[in-house]
C-alpha cells in the first residue's frame, strides 16, 4: 500500500468513527424528543387548545427529523466504510465492541453518563431508568427508516432480529464494530443496511424534502 | 390530572426537548467539522461510496437544523400554554 493510500485510509477511519459517535448521540436526542412529545400529549388530555396541539405537532415533527439524522449518519458511515474496504481492504475501523461482546443498552448508558459533559449525559440520565436494552432505540430508528411501517407483518418481522442484535447471532456484524461505536451504532448500521436495500428498490426514498 | 399536574408534566416535556436540543447543537458543530474533514479526505473522488457518504452527511446536517427548529417551536408553544394555565 502506498503511503498516500495509507494516509487517506487513516483519515477515513477517523471520519467513520466521528460519524458513528454522532449517530449514537443523535439516537440519544431522538429518545429525548419522543419523551417530550409523550409528555406534552399526556398533559393535553382533555384539551384541544391550539398551543398545546402546536407543541405536540412540532415536537413530533422534530422527533421524526432527529431520528432521520441518526439514520442518515449511519448510512454515511456505512458508505465510507464500503469505500475504505474498496480502496484499502482490511483497514476499515474494527467496529468492534471491546471485550468481544456487544454491550447492552444499560452499559452504554452507564459508560456514556460518566464520560459525557454534554447534553448526551442529560439524555442518559433521563432515560437510564427505562432503557435496559436497545429495543427502544431500535424502534426509533426503525420508524425513521420506515415511516410508512404501519405494523405490517413483513416490516415488523425485519426489525425483530435487529432489536435482538446484542445477542451472539451476528458474529460477522460484531466483527465490524467500533469500540466507541457502542451497540446503538450497530443497530443503526444494521437498520441502515435494511434501508439501503429498500432504497435499491425505491429510488424516491431520499428525495423527500422538508415539508 | 390536576392543573398543577398538567403544568408539571409540560415542564418535564420542555426539559426533555431542551435536552435534545442541547445534543443537537453539539452535534451541529461535530457534523460540520466531520463533513469538512470528509470532503478534504475525499479530495475530488467521484467514487459512488464517497459521493453517497458525503451526501448523507450533508443531508444529516440540514435535517438537524430542521429538527432543532421544530423542537424549539414546540417548546415555545408549550410555554405559551403554561402561561395560559396560570
Amino acid at each position: 500500500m502506498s503511503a498516500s493510500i495509507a494516509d487517506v485510509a487513516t483519515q477515513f477511519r477517523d471520519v467513520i468513527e466521528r460519524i458513528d459517535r454522532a449517530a449514537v448521540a443523535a439516537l440519544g436526542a431522538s429518545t429525548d424528543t419522543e419523551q417530550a412529545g409523550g409528555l406534552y400529549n399526556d398533559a393535553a388530555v382533555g384539551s384541544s387548545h391550539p398551543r398545546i396541539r402546536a407543541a405536540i405537532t412540532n415536537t413530533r415533527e422534530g422527533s421524526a427529523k432527529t431520528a432521520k439524522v441518526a439514520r442518515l449518519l449511519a448510512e454515511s458511515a456505512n458508505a465510507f466504510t464500503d469505500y475504505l474496504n474498496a480502496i484499502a481492504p482490511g483497514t476499515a475501523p474494527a467496529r468492534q465492541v471491546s471485550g468481544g461482546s456487544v454491550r447492552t443498552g444499560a452499559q452504554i448508558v452507564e459508560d456514556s453518563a460518566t464520560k459525557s459533559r454534554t447534553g448526551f449525559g442529560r439524555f442518559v440520565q433521563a432515560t437510564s431508568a427505562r432503557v435496559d436494552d436497545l429495543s427502544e432505540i431500535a424502534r426509533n430508528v426503525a420508524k425513521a427508516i420506515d415511516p410508512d411501517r404501519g405494523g405490517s407483518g413483513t416490516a415488523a418481522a425485519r426489525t425483530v432480529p435487529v432489536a435482538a442484535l446484542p445477542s451472539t447471532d451476528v458474529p460477522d456484524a460484531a466483527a465490524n464494530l467500533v469500540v466507541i461505536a457502542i451497540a446503538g451504532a450497530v443497530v443503526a448500521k444494521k437498520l441502515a443496511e435494511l434501508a439501503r436495500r429498500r432504497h435499491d428498490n425505491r429510488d424516491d426514498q431520499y428525495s423527500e424534502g422538508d415539508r | 390530572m390536576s392543573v398543577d399536574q398538567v403544568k408539571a408534566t409540560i415542564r418535564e416535556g420542555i426539559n426533555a426537548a431542551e435536552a435534545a436540543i442541547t445534543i443537537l447543537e453539539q452535534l451541529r458543530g461535530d457534523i460540520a467539522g466531520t463533513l469538512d474533514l470528509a470532503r478534504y479526505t475525499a479530495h475530488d473522488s467521484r467514487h459512488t461510496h464517497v459521493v453517497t457518504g458525503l451526501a448523507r452527511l450533508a443531508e444529516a446536517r440540514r435535517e438537524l437544523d430542521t429538527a432543532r427548529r421544530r423542537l424549539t417551536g414546540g417548546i415555545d408553544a408549550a410555554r405559551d400554554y403554561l402561561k395560559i394555565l396560570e
Side-chain angles (χ1 to χ4, degrees):
Chain A
M1 189 191 302
S2 75
S4 63
I5 288 182
D7 290 346
V8 168
T10 300
Q11 281 194 345
F12 267 119
R13 276 202 299 276
D14 186 20
V15 165
I16 291 162
E17 288 172 5
R18 285 182 185 211
I19 299 172
D20 275 335
R21 285 196 294 272
V24 172
L27 284 171
S30 172
T31 305
D32 269 352
T33 62
E34 292 249 328
Q35 188 185 19
L39 287 162
Y40 292 156
N41 199 51
D42 290 348
V45 170
S47 171
S48 57
H49 194 283
R51 291 315 281 160
I52 190 64
R53 291 292 147 200
I56 293 167
T57 304
N58 275 301
T59 304
R60 281 188 181 150
E61 288 174 4
S63 187
K65 290 291 180 189
T66 305
K68 187 174 179 183
V69 168
R71 188 245 296 166
L72 289 166
L73 290 169
E75 289 174 357
S76 175
N78 284 349
F80 286 127
T81 300
D82 289 346
Y83 179 65
L84 198 46
N85 282 330
I87 63 164
T91 63
R95 302 170 94 187
Q96 164 87 40
V97 172
S98 60
S101 63
V102 179
R103 291 178 296 168
T104 66
Q107 287 172 308
I108 293 162
V109 164
E110 191 176 294
D111 289 356
S112 301
T114 57
K115 287 175 191 165
S116 177
R117 290 168 304 178
T118 70
F120 190 46
R122 292 175 63 190
F123 143 69
V124 160
Q125 284 150 19
T127 58
S128 58
R130 60 198 181 90
V131 178
D132 60 1
D133 61 35
L134 286 167
S135 59
E136 182 173 348
I137 290 172
R139 277 196 301 276
N140 288 345
V141 181
K143 274 186 281 186
I145 288 171
D146 198 1
D148 55 353
R149 177 169 69 96
S152 72
T154 47
R158 278 177 170 176
T159 63
V160 168
V162 175
L165 244 191
S167 69
T168 55
D169 60 350
V170 281
D172 289 341
N176 257 336
L177 297 169
V178 188
V179 175
I180 194 84
I182 320 192
V186 183
V187 173
K189 176 170 159 50
K190 193 70 185 170
L191 286 164
E193 286 166 3
L194 292 175
R196 186 156 52 188
R197 281 207 290 274
R198 289 170 56 82
H199 181 224
D200 290 340
N201 299 323
R202 263 177 45 184
D203 281 337
D204 60 338
Q205 179 161 351
Y206 299 109
S207 61
E208 60 180 273
D210 182 33
R211 66 178 95 150
Chain B
M1 196 185 281
S2 71
V3 173
D4 281 347
Q5 285 171 324
V6 168
K7 289 197 284 192
T9 304
I10 291 173
R11 286 194 193 100
E12 206 182 329
I14 290 171
N15 286 342
E18 284 177 338
I21 289 172
T22 302
I23 297 170
L24 292 178
E25 283 172 352
Q26 165 85 40
L27 266 181
R28 194 171 191 277
D30 291 348
I31 292 174
T34 303
L35 187 57
D36 286 345
L37 177 63
R39 282 178 174 148
Y40 174 80
T41 306
H43 202 48
D44 56 357
S45 172
R46 294 282 180 273
H47 194 287
T48 178
H49 293 321
V50 171
V51 172
T52 300
L54 291 174
R56 297 289 181 273
L57 198 51
E59 192 182 353
R61 189 175 60 170
R62 288 193 298 273
E63 292 290 333
L64 186 147
D65 285 338
T66 307
R68 205 168 50 141
R69 282 198 299 274
R70 296 282 186 276
L71 293 170
T72 302
I75 290 171
D76 290 346
R79 289 204 173 114
D80 286 347
Y81 189 62
L82 272 183
K83 282 182 195 152
I84 290 161
L85 293 177
E86 279 164 5

